[in-house]
Amino acid sequence: MEIIDKTKDKKEEQWQLGDVVSDGEHYGLIVKDHKKDYTVMSLDLKDDKSYDANHSFSSPYLVILQDTLSDWHKVNAKLVIE
């Protein structure tokens, strides 16, 4: 999988399910976990465990998740899955 980051302006927008977010170094995908909480699934492509849901960033409300991860921003990205 490859991530093509097309972000020009890091203006904050409301996150939605399926958005790609980044802290400038790591990428993640907004998904719902088995408890129906919103979480960031890691898209770190450096190892074989690149699709690991990080449950330490879970919230029943997406706005709380976005506030908790204030150093992360929505990325205008295209996911290429081969």
Side-chain angles (χ1 to χ4, degrees):
M1 181 175 71
E2 176 184 5
I3 300 172
I4 302 169
D5 185 345
K6 297 181 176 186
T7 305
K8 294 178 184 171
D9 181 14
K10 292 184 180 179
K11 68 178 182 179
E12 285 302 316
E13 297 180 24
Q14 185 63 39
W15 292 358
Q16 298 178 22
L17 195 61
D19 283 344
V20 175
V21 294
S22 175
D23 66 355
E25 182 179 346
H26 302 97
Y27 290 91
L29 183 67
I30 303 297
V31 298
K32 280 193 171 183
D33 65 12
H34 66 285
K35 295 187 288 185
K36 300 193 181 194
D37 286 343
Y38 292 96
T39 190
V40 176
M41 182 176 74
S42 174
L43 295 176
D44 191 358
L45 305 176
K46 297 178 184 171
D47 59 33
D48 291 336
K49 297 180 192 243
S50 56
Y51 312 108
D52 190 25
N54 186 343
H55 294 288
S56 62
F57 300 126
S58 294
S59 169
Y61 302 102
L62 196 51
V63 68
I64 294 173
L65 181 67
Q66 186 173 357
D67 287 345
T68 302
L69 299 174
S70 60
D71 56 335
W72 288 65
H73 63 277
K74 186 174 173 178
V75 176
N76 181 12
K78 173 181 171 184
L79 297 179
V80 178
I81 300 173
E82 298 177 353

